[in-house]
């Protein structure tokens, strides 16, 4: 017990998460985002088109609907561009940081010793582009899970291994 | 008393009654639309026919209930350390729960079970969000010894644990019991916001009906005008208002008493055993290591009477925040001393508040936009362009405004975030002021959010996730929040305490 020391912590010299430089996602991931937007708007467009074609009462308002549709599409594209630029991640020694959002920018930080499990997800288009998403789950519920998309497949794989290693390591320490 | 659970056994025979009740209830619940239709046509139908159908349905239900009872067996598989349940009439299922996965065993009693003197036993596991296994009819002694056996294995598995050592002393010590007087006090002082909303809805409905009545009767000039002058009308309104207030108080009071009557807390094996309820008796266990957030809430009246509600959120498998809220265990009517004892037991100490972080004045603006400007804009847009009738309700506008403005103002004034060495404390609420206590090592993840218009003013929000609910603090100094986040992350990352 003699060598037990309990110095006060200098809170101002703690590492700051906000000063770490984040890694951007792979540019190819923007294609995935665009593709998803295209699919969504195509479905809305076809459904709307059918509605305006078959329901005669509203047919004469088609130009208003088209205008709204185009405005919404342009706005979504604009937002998606900002959102892509804002997305970033970094793995620190003790935690993972993920930033995202366009109108509201939010940063989630998950310490490794609270990670429950890690998963790798590949979408249909992502696989074709050689991308993957690392998903990090905690016990804090859905919205506390971190999902980092737009990583190189191999990179994602190694991140997953790294995280699993860390998680197992921590669990073993606890068992002892 | 040691009972033998190693061979499969059925529930108490009187349990057939419980099964019957449950089966009948679920049948009625799934068929009620048809029943409603039949009920309206009952006069047109043949008496004999109706009686036969009802009789046949009851007999069928009874047979199903008996078969359910007959096919339901449970036993303890000592070899594989599993608790096994077999059930099902046509689709047989066998559920085996490894003993070390059992989180909690609750013994409850509903009204029907109380009549025939049996209890139900719920086994809560770490697997899914549902209570997986319920034995619906079991005698009290058997339930207690089964519970002991089910939770026993944990002791075996972690024998070297210090906690386990103390578990061997299996005695229960009385800890706190909530007196009837405290429940009375809680009953008449809680749920005001909800009562107010009910009152408001009721008044509007009555008002609307009176209007409709006069219009429907086709009176051009109100015939009552001669009798009803301002004074009478005022007296009438006052009478109605007072009657409603008394009524809601009575309803709140009886609800509180029904739910929490005879609230006793005992201390056993370093856990708290809670037991409460007048008609349906509930029993639960709280283990301090499972506790994530403890909230203490009280309003102005409750402060004067020295009572407060303690709400305890434990780690749950439920992801839905609302469900987590429901699962939180409430201990009503605690005195200051009892509250402090509870906090000391659950958190290790009574957390002290230091200097708190206040939200920015913009929070008032944000809430004004959200609860006044947007709703009023919608109201006027609809009233002007679509339903002119809506203007008749404009006399309620001052009431709404007074209510919302005071909520926003006091909500802002009470909102604080304290960070001490061992705890995070969030104070919030306008009338009912809540203090939520959270130990930093329970944090699972931290989220900081900033809207683009908040950037210049350096404002933002923080959200702390735990396994038993989240804690949010909005519209505050962003640099300070970031500083706090760094500090709490440091805490989580250097601690050797587990979150559960």
């Amino acid at each position: 017990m003699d060598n037990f020391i309990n110095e006060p912590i200098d809170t101002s010299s703690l590492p700051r998460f906000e000063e770490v430089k984040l890694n951007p996602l792979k540019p190819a991931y923007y294609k995935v985002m665009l593709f998803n937007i295209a699919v969504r708007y195509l479905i809305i467009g076809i459904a709307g088109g059918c509605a305006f074609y078959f329901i005669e009462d509203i047919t004469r308002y088609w130009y208003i609907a088209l205008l709204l549709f185009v405005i919404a599409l342009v706005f979504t594209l604009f937002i998606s561009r900002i959102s892509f630029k804002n997305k970033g991640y970094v793995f620190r020694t003790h935690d993972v940081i993920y930033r995202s959002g366009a109108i509201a920018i939010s940063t989630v930080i998950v310490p490794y010793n609270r990670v429950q499990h890690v998963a790798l997800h590949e979408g249909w288009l992502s696989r074709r582009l050689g991308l993957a998403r690392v998903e990090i789950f905690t016990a804090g519920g859905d919205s506390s899970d971190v999902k980092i998309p737009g990583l190189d497949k191999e990179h994602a794989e190694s991140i997953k291994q790294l995280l699993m290693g860390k998680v197992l390591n921590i669990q073993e320490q606890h068992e002892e | 008393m040691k009972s033998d659970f190693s061979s499969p056994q059925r529930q108490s025979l009187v349990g057939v009654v419980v099964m019957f009740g449950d089966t009948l209830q679920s049948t009625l619940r799934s068929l009620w639309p048809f029943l409603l239709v039949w009920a309206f046509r009952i006069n047109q139908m043949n008496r004999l026919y109706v009686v036969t159908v009802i009789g046949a349905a009851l007999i069928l239900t009874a047979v199903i209930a008996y078969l359910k009872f007959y096919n339901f067996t449970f036993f303890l598989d000592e070899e594989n350390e599993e608790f096994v349940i077999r059930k099902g009439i046509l689709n047989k299922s066998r559920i085996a729960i490894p003993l070390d996965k059992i989180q909690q065993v609750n013994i409850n009693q509903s009204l029907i079970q109380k009549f025939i003197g049996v209890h139900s036993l719920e086994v809560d596991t770490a697997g899914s969000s549902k209570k997986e296994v319920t034995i619906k009819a079991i005698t009290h002694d058997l339930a207690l010894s089964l519970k002991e056996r089910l939770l026993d294995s944990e002791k075996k598995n972690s024998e070297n644990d210090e906690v386990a050592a103390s578990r061997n002393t299996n005695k229960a010590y009385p800890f706190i019991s909530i007196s009837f007087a405290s429940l009375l006090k809680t009953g008449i002082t809680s749920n005001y916001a909800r009562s107010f909303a009910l009152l408001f809805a009721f008044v509007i409905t009555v008002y609307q009906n009176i209007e409709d009545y006069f219009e429907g009767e086709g009176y051009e000039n109100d015939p009552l005008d001669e009798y009803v002058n301002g004074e009478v009308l005022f007296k009438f309104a006052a009478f109605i208002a007072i009657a409603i207030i008394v009524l809601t108080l009575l309803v709140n009071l009886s609800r509180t008493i029904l739910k929490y009557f005879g609230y006793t807390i005992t201390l056993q094996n370093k856990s708290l055993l809670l037991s409460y309820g007048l008609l349906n008796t509930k029993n639960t266990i709280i283990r301090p290591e499972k506790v994530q957030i403890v909230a203490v809430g009280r309003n102005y009246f409750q402060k004067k009477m020295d009572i407060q509600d303690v709400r305890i959120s434990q780690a749950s498998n439920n992801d839905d925040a609302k469900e987590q809220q429901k699962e939180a265990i409430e201990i009503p009517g605690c005195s200051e001393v009892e509250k402090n004892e509870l906090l000391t037991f659950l958190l290790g100490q009574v957390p002290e508040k230091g200097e708190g972080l206040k939200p920015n004045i913009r929070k008032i603006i944000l809430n004004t936009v959200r609860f006044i400007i947007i709703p009023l804009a919608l109201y006027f847009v609809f009233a002007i362009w679509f339903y002119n009738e809506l203007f008749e309700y404009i006399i309620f506008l001052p009431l709404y405004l007074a209510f919302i403005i005071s909520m926003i103002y006091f909500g802002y004034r009470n909102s604080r975030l304290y960070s001490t060495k061992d705890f995070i404390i969030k104070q919030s609420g306008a009338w009912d002021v809540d203090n939520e206590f959270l130990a930093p090592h329970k944090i699972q993840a931290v989220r900081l959010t900033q809207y683009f218009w908040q950037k210049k003013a350096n404002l933002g929000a923080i959200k702390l996730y735990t396994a038993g609910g989240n804690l949010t603090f909005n519209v505050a100094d962003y640099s300070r929040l970031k500083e706090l986040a760094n500090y709490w992350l440091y805490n989580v990352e250097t601690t050797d305490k587990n979150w559960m």
Side-chain angles (χ1 to χ4, degrees):
Chain A
M1 277 304 171
D2 288 340
N3 52 9
F4 176 76
I5 44 168
N6 199 356
E7 295 281 324
I9 307 152
D10 182 8
T11 46
S12 60
S13 68
L14 284 173
R16 291 161 186 266
F17 78 88
E18 65 270 28
E19 279 170 9
V20 188
K21 202 177 169 308
L22 300 183
N23 307 311
L25 304 185
K26 287 277 154 205
Y29 180 68
Y30 190 54
K31 289 181 194 160
V32 180
M33 288 174 75
L34 287 180
F35 176 75
N36 288 338
I37 293 171
V39 169
R40 213 177 310 147
Y41 274 84
L42 203 66
I43 292 171
I44 297 173
I46 290 171
C50 288
F52 277 94
Y53 186 80
F54 290 111
I55 305 170
E56 282 172 7
D57 288 352
I58 56 169
T59 305
R60 58 205 167 103
Y61 298 115
W62 68 272
Y63 53 91
I64 299 177
L66 188 68
L67 192 69
L68 286 176
F69 184 79
V70 172
I71 290 173
L73 183 60
V74 170
F75 184 69
T76 313
L77 288 174
F78 176 65
I79 291 288
S80 76
R81 189 69 211 159
I82 298 176
S83 146
F84 177 73
K85 278 188 179 160
N86 280 334
K87 283 189 187 6
Y89 66 92
V90 69
F91 291 90
R92 295 200 292 179
T93 323
H94 297 288
D95 51 26
V96 48
I97 303 175
Y98 178 61
R99 188 185 64 194
S100 63
I103 294 167
I105 297 174
S106 74
T107 312
V108 190
I109 307 150
V110 177
Y112 297 138
N113 55 357
R114 294 291 177 266
V115 173
Q116 296 278 62
H117 69 278
V118 189
L120 204 70
H121 177 88
E122 286 174 275
W124 174 81
L125 183 63
S126 297
R127 187 160 31 209
R128 252 136 259 247
L129 296 169
L131 298 176
R133 182 168 77 195
V134 171
E135 302 180 334
I136 300 156
F137 299 94
T138 73
D142 279 346
S143 52
S144 70
D145 302 333
V146 169
K147 293 175 181 168
I148 308 172
L151 299 167
D152 266 336
K153 176 89 198 296
E154 280 161 35
H155 188 201
E157 200 68 67
S158 62
I159 287 173
K160 192 188 160 196
Q161 293 304 328
L162 171 99
L163 284 178
M164 302 243 269
K166 291 228 185 229
V167 173
L168 285 178
N169 211 347
I170 290 162
Q171 278 173 359
E172 268 164 29
Q173 275 173 8
H174 260 288
E175 305 270 300
E176 273 161 23
Chain B
M1 191 195 86
K2 277 275 170 202
S3 306
D4 182 31
F5 295 109
S6 56
S7 59
Q9 57 175 298
R10 302 210 165 84
Q11 307 175 73
S12 308
L13 187 59
V14 280
V16 177
V17 180
V18 182
M19 294 282 182
F20 182 76
D22 279 0
T23 316
L24 194 66
Q25 202 182 2
S26 63
T27 322
L28 288 181
R29 209 171 271 171
S30 55
L31 288 181
W32 72 264
F34 298 102
L35 294 176
L36 208 67
V37 173
W38 284 342
F40 275 114
R41 291 196 193 150
I42 201 148
N43 290 331
Q44 303 159 21
M45 286 191 289
N46 191 339
R47 274 293 151 73
L48 192 70
Y49 174 70
V50 171
V51 171
T52 326
V53 167
I54 291 177
L58 284 180
I59 289 169
L60 193 68
T61 312
V63 170
I64 291 175
Y66 181 74
L67 286 176
K68 266 190 188 172
F69 162 79
Y70 186 80
N71 287 305
F72 189 102
T73 57
F74 59 93
F75 75 102
L76 210 74
D77 187 345
E78 299 275 359
E79 227 169 88
N80 299 321
E81 302 218 317
E82 282 176 340
F83 182 59
V84 184
I85 279 186
R86 287 210 184 89
K87 65 177 182 182
I89 304 171
L90 293 175
N91 300 321
K92 307 265 182 199
S93 59
R94 178 182 182 277
I95 304 170
I97 306 170
L99 291 183
D100 57 333
K101 286 273 149 54
I102 294 176
Q103 294 262 326
Q104 248 186 49
V105 178
N106 296 331
I107 300 174
N108 296 325
Q109 198 176 31
S110 70
L111 190 59
I112 182 166
Q113 286 165 334
K114 199 164 259 184
F115 274 128
I116 57 174
V118 293
H119 294 252
S120 72
L121 183 133
E122 270 175 3
V123 180
D124 212 351
T125 63
S128 83
S129 54
K130 278 184 194 149
K131 298 245 159 68
E132 282 190 345
V133 162
T134 314
I135 298 175
K136 283 197 177 130
I138 185 167
T139 61
H140 194 235
D141 290 342
L142 209 60
L144 280 182
S145 65
L146 180 57
K147 178 180 179 178
E148 203 173 290
R149 291 289 293 280
L150 289 176
L151 295 173
D152 218 23
S153 69
E154 217 168 328
K155 192 163 62 193
K156 263 183 263 160
N157 289 343
S158 53
E159 214 140 30
N160 45 2
D161 209 355
E162 251 181 82
V163 183
S166 64
R167 264 165 207 261
N168 287 330
T169 54
N170 238 333
K171 264 189 193 157
Y173 305 94
F175 190 50
I176 292 171
S177 62
I178 307 297
S179 68
F180 190 67
S182 302
L183 283 185
L184 283 181
K185 288 182 198 163
T186 309
I188 55 169
T189 52
S190 52
N191 285 328
Y192 284 159
R194 202 176 52 193
S195 306
F196 180 85
L198 275 176
L199 193 91
F200 195 69
F202 184 80
V203 170
I204 286 193
T205 325
V206 169
Y207 182 78
Q208 191 180 17
N209 278 333
I210 292 175
E211 291 278 307
D212 285 353
Y213 178 75
F214 286 132
E215 271 169 31
E217 294 288 300
Y219 294 115
E220 282 297 315
N221 301 316
D222 221 321
L224 289 174
D225 272 352
E226 293 163 31
Y227 311 101
V228 184
N229 52 30
E231 201 190 322
V232 175
L233 201 68
F234 179 75
K235 273 185 186 161
F236 179 70
F239 170 75
I240 291 282
I242 288 168
I244 291 169
I245 289 169
V246 170
L247 205 68
T248 43
L249 277 182
L250 278 177
V251 170
N252 280 339
L253 190 62
S254 41
R255 262 191 41 149
T256 311
I257 290 169
L258 276 180
K259 201 168 168 195
Y260 298 119
F261 182 78
Y263 210 121
T264 48
I265 306 174
T266 42
L267 195 66
Q268 188 181 32
N269 300 340
K270 290 213 169 179
S271 342
L272 292 182
L273 285 147
L274 312 184
S275 162
Y276 55 91
L278 185 63
L279 299 177
N280 298 329
T281 317
K282 281 216 159 206
N283 285 288
T284 22
I285 304 176
I286 296 178
R287 296 204 189 126
E289 65 270 21
K290 259 191 89 181
V291 171
Q292 306 290 314
I293 299 178
V294 181
V296 177
R298 66 177 177 190
N299 56 39
Y300 179 76
F301 292 150
Q302 292 173 332
K303 193 175 172 181
K304 292 280 168 225
M305 293 181 184
D306 185 27
I307 51 167
Q308 45 225 308
D309 284 353
V310 177
R311 279 190 311 282
I312 300 157
S313 310
Q314 300 196 87
S316 89
N317 302 304
N318 222 326
D319 276 341
D320 192 10
K322 272 194 183 145
E323 287 293 316
Q324 279 174 345
Q325 282 273 311
K326 262 193 218 161
E327 275 179 24
I329 291 162
E330 203 168 336
I331 307 175
C334 298
S335 70
E336 187 72 22
V337 179
E338 289 165 337
K339 178 205 83 178
N340 286 342
E341 273 179 48
L342 272 170
L343 287 181
T344 314
F345 180 79
L346 296 169
L347 304 171
Q349 57 176 292
V350 181
E352 299 265 343
K353 288 178 187 172
E355 202 190 332
L357 178 63
K358 289 179 193 171
N360 190 272
I361 191 85
R362 278 214 206 176
K363 186 164 185 165
I364 290 192
I365 302 172
L366 179 79
N367 283 336
T368 310
V369 171
R370 199 194 282 170
F371 297 111
I372 297 180
I373 295 181
I374 293 177
L376 285 197
L378 282 177
Y379 170 76
F380 280 112
V381 163
F382 270 95
I384 291 169
W385 280 296
F386 301 103
Y387 305 105
N388 288 319
E389 294 87 4
L390 276 177
F391 273 118
E392 287 169 13
Y393 297 99
I394 207 156
I395 56 162
F396 294 110
L397 202 63
L399 197 63
Y400 174 78
L401 283 180
F403 178 69
I404 293 292
I405 288 173
S406 51
M407 288 298 264
I408 291 175
Y409 172 70
F410 286 105
Y412 170 76
R413 226 182 60 170
N414 289 330
S415 176
R416 288 280 187 291
L417 184 69
Y418 300 94
S419 166
T420 63
K421 200 169 122 293
D422 300 304
F423 292 100
I424 300 158
I425 307 168
K426 182 194 159 192
Q427 180 181 293
S428 62
W431 171 249
D432 290 300
V433 182
D434 282 349
N435 277 292
E436 288 168 274
F437 302 97
L438 164 68
H441 70 270
K442 304 277 180 183
I443 295 175
Q444 298 284 338
V446 180
R447 181 190 290 271
L448 287 120
T449 309
Q450 185 174 48
Y451 285 93
F452 68 80
W453 59 82
Q454 291 179 323
K455 214 164 191 171
K456 224 173 171 185
N458 191 25
L459 296 173
I462 195 166
K463 189 168 188 179
L464 305 171
Y465 296 92
T466 80
N470 310 323
L471 208 134
T472 319
F473 196 71
N474 281 332
V475 203
D477 182 355
Y478 203 47
S479 344
R480 182 82 187 107
L481 290 182
K482 285 193 270 196
E483 217 172 275
L484 287 171
N486 283 321
Y487 175 62
W488 292 328
L489 284 168
Y490 163 79
N491 269 316
V492 177
E493 286 157 15
T494 53
T495 189
D496 53 355
K497 288 186 211 160
N498 213 342
W499 57 274
M500 199 175 107

